[in-house]
Amino acid sequence: MGHSPWALTAGILGNIISFMVFLAPISTFYRIYKKRSTEGFQAVPYIVALFSAMLWLYYAFIKTNVLLLIIINSIGCVIEAIYIAVFLAYAHKKARVHAAKIILLLDGGIFSAIVVSTIVLSKGDTRVKIVGWICVGFAVCVFAAPLSIMKLVIATKSVEFMPFNLSFFLTISAVAWFSYGLLIKDLYVMLPNVLGFLFGLAQMILYVIYKKPGGNKKIDKKAVKKNIPIKPAAIDDEQKIKTEEWTNQVKDKMENDNMMPV
């Protein structure tokens, strides 16, 4: 591939960690499969993740000599497509139609428009730069997703909602991909992972601040209700929902919001 051993090492590490991140929602979809229902889960995170992988795959093909980007984003496309297929299989009609519309608009229409317009209106290095900046812009928007979880941690003073392992691996993934981009002198791979590293580091700092040696304090459910959308039945005080159920729902959201490692 023409890259230095250090670049290859960083890229391979990034591939391994990114693969683990792509697999993070498996428990969610196993739950959907077992219950034959998507419950309150949304398809949008997976549709967006598929769009992101498709964008980076297109960039990798026109950039050339970035096989590691092609490998991980090809895998990402397959995994996200499987997640979406499972969702569509078990979602009720309204959710299925809504998801199908977003798929057609984002993964079909917008992606096709980007590909066709860049092929027709640009070529060579200019095309690479245009697609690269599109990838950077979209990645920045995606990396902003964990802000809602960080806000929730501060509001509840509890890290129950923010698994340390996921934050740690996302941070390491950002470091690996930044290093890979730096070593192969690819600005478009480097830039979004600077933001990914900063958000990951911020999450781990919050974990250190709010993690209590003897366990977390009782969770402020009012703060949870204010920050995380839960189905009406789930916030009915008469049902006296257990704290553990709240935690599982927000952890699922955390997994869903952090699915784009490149």
Side-chain angles (χ1 to χ4, degrees):
M1 289 184 293
H3 297 325
S4 70
W6 287 109
L8 288 175
T9 301
I12 291 172
L13 178 61
N15 268 256
I16 293 172
I17 299 175
S18 296
F19 179 69
M20 294 170 63
V21 174
F22 276 129
L23 293 180
I26 278 184
S27 59
T28 295
F29 282 90
Y30 181 72
R31 174 177 170 179
I32 289 174
Y33 167 75
K34 292 289 287 184
K35 293 192 174 185
R36 299 293 194 274
S37 170
T38 57
E39 300 178 297
F41 295 108
Q42 301 294 319
V44 174
Y46 313 102
I47 297 172
V48 171
L50 176 59
F51 179 72
S52 176
M54 291 166 64
L55 270 182
W56 282 108
L57 190 57
Y58 175 48
Y59 170 77
F61 275 123
I62 63 174
K63 168 76 174 180
T64 69
N65 201 30
V66 281
L67 180 60
L68 292 175
L69 277 181
I70 292 176
I71 292 173
I72 189 57
N73 286 291
S74 296
I75 293 173
C77 284
V78 173
I79 292 175
E80 299 304 334
I82 292 173
Y83 289 156
I84 293 170
V86 172
F87 182 91
L88 293 175
Y90 296 110
H92 57 79
K93 184 177 180 180
K94 185 176 180 180
R96 187 182 299 119
V97 171
H98 178 66
K101 289 179 179 178
I102 298 176
I103 293 170
L104 290 174
L105 175 63
L106 188 62
D107 298 337
I110 295 179
F111 179 74
S112 297
I114 291 173
V115 172
V116 172
S117 62
T118 52
I119 289 176
V120 173
L121 302 177
S122 62
K123 58 183 178 180
D125 289 341
T126 302
R127 183 186 300 160
V128 173
K129 290 178 181 178
I130 292 173
V131 176
W133 281 115
I134 291 174
C135 289
V136 169
F138 187 76
V140 167
C141 294
V142 168
F143 276 126
L147 287 174
S148 61
I149 298 297
M150 294 166 66
K151 179 182 177 183
L152 182 63
V153 169
I154 295 172
T156 61
K157 293 180 172 56
S158 169
V159 295
E160 289 292 330
F161 310 114
M162 190 172 65
F164 179 81
N165 288 343
L166 185 58
S167 298
F168 175 76
F169 281 114
L170 285 169
T171 304
I172 297 300
S173 176
V175 171
W177 283 114
F178 171 81
S179 300
Y180 178 71
L182 178 65
L183 292 168
I184 67 171
K185 299 179 181 179
D186 191 319
L187 180 66
Y188 310 110
V189 174
M190 291 169 53
L191 285 179
N193 285 292
V194 172
L195 189 61
F197 169 75
L198 292 176
F199 277 130
L201 185 62
Q203 289 176 29
M204 289 192 290
I205 291 174
L206 285 178
Y207 190 92
V208 172
I209 292 174
Y210 291 110
K211 175 65 177 178
K212 304 298 188 297
N216 292 304
K217 293 181 179 179
K218 187 175 180 180
I219 297 170
D220 184 352
K221 291 184 179 180
K222 290 183 179 180
V224 176
K225 293 177 186 178
K226 183 178 179 181
N227 287 278
I228 296 297
I230 304 296
K231 294 191 302 184
I235 60 174
D236 190 343
D237 291 335
E238 295 179 0
Q239 293 186 4
K240 298 179 180 180
I241 299 176
K242 296 179 181 179
T243 297
E244 182 179 350
E245 294 174 339
W246 292 84
T247 302
N248 289 336
Q249 289 187 36
V250 183
K251 282 184 177 179
D252 286 331
K253 179 177 175 21
M254 180 64 177
E255 288 181 350
N256 294 343
D257 282 347
N258 290 279
M259 292 173 53
M260 273 136 299
V262 179

